[in-house]
Amino acid sequence: MKRFLRDNGLALTFGLLFLGSLTGQAFAGNADLNNRRLVDGGDPIGLWQYVFSSDFAVDVAENWQSEYLQFFLFILATVWLMQRGSNESKPAHRLGPESDEQQYLGEHAKPSSPPWARAGGWRTRLYSNSLGLLMLVLFLGSWLAQSVAGRSAYNNEQLIDFQDPVSWWEYVLSADFWNRSLQNWQSEFLAIGSMAIFSVYLRQRGSSESKPVGAPHDKTDESG
């Protein structure tokens, strides 16, 4: 058990932080919604009713989609783009998808390599891009969920204000939908760009997200 906890510490820790913050969001969001309903003369709703409501779903989905968009774009961008001195970047001579030998594919696979790395054909091509594809699918799925839940929440507000509800396409093209999306996207792009730049000059001893403390500023693709 101790070895399992050690070997999976990152996943377990952030999984627990995720569940804790999601639970906190549910309680805080329910309280906030009930305050607004009381101001408008409505009745408060219970926690579980809120958790299964479009208001909670859209708030969760709009954050998830921006996170997966960030990872998808960063994974793709780091294939072709570099930031000299950043441990988040490959050096210039390795830009691009690299050779089969560098990636341990086909005849260059190691005994411990995943089976699809040595299989060849469509299986190797698919597995070679599987991480980026998964991030893209998760982004598109959560963005679709945001649009569906967001439309429902938006139409609830429309009906309260005695206005006509909108279709899914009308909502996707609305300012409310794009305001929700872009306010999250800009923060993700800022964070990942800042990390790439700050890691050139700043250090965190012992972290794989940092270069060794004594590494030169222009040293690229080295973690310590």
Side-chain angles (χ1 to χ4, degrees):
M1 178 58 72
K2 288 183 178 180
R3 183 174 181 179
F4 174 81
L5 293 175
R6 183 202 66 188
D7 291 349
N8 298 278
L10 275 175
L12 291 171
T13 298
F14 280 93
L16 290 173
L17 288 171
F18 163 70
L19 293 176
S21 57
L22 188 65
T23 301
Q25 179 186 350
F27 279 99
N30 182 221
D32 179 62
L33 178 64
N34 283 338
N35 287 337
R36 288 187 280 115
R37 289 173 68 91
L38 290 173
V39 169
D40 295 334
D43 296 323
I45 63 174
L47 177 65
W48 284 111
Q49 186 178 354
Y50 172 70
V51 167
F52 288 100
S53 72
S54 58
D55 291 276
F56 182 69
V58 68
D59 288 341
V60 171
E62 73 179 53
N63 285 282
W64 289 7
Q65 57 91 359
S66 64
E67 296 294 339
Y68 286 121
L69 175 64
Q70 172 195 192
F71 284 122
F72 167 67
L73 292 178
F74 189 62
I75 289 167
L76 198 65
T78 51
V79 175
W80 302 100
L81 304 178
M82 69 168 290
Q83 179 61 54
R84 183 175 298 278
S86 175
N87 68 301
E88 302 287 340
S89 168
K90 296 191 295 186
H93 68 275
R94 289 180 53 203
L95 290 180
E98 301 183 349
S99 66
D100 287 356
E101 182 177 4
Q102 289 173 302
Q103 290 289 311
Y104 311 126
L105 299 178
E107 62 182 18
H108 305 288
K110 297 183 176 182
S112 58
S113 295
W116 280 28
R118 63 168 62 88
W122 68 270
R123 287 178 294 179
T124 296
R125 288 195 297 273
L126 178 62
Y127 189 66
S128 297
N129 298 281
S130 56
L131 182 59
L133 288 172
L134 177 61
M135 294 298 106
L136 177 60
V137 169
L138 290 172
F139 160 64
L140 294 175
S142 53
W143 204 24
L144 177 62
Q146 177 197 338
S147 70
V148 173
R151 172 180 175 261
S152 179
Y154 183 80
N155 281 339
N156 287 338
E157 294 294 328
Q158 290 286 96
L159 293 174
I160 291 174
D161 295 335
F162 302 102
Q163 299 184 43
D164 294 332
V166 300
S167 68
W168 180 79
W169 275 113
E170 288 175 320
Y171 179 69
V172 167
L173 297 175
S174 72
D176 182 81
F177 178 73
W178 284 102
N179 178 54
R180 286 179 174 272
S181 296
L182 292 172
Q183 68 177 318
N184 285 281
W185 292 6
Q186 55 87 11
S187 64
E188 302 299 340
F189 298 153
L190 174 64
I192 202 166
S194 299
M195 182 64 179
I197 293 294
F198 293 157
S199 65
V200 176
Y201 303 103
L202 304 178
R203 309 286 189 269
Q204 181 58 56
R205 184 171 182 168
S207 174
S208 62
E209 295 301 310
S210 168
K211 294 184 292 186
V213 178
H217 290 325
D218 60 355
K219 181 67 176 178
T220 307
D221 187 35
E222 182 177 354
S223 297

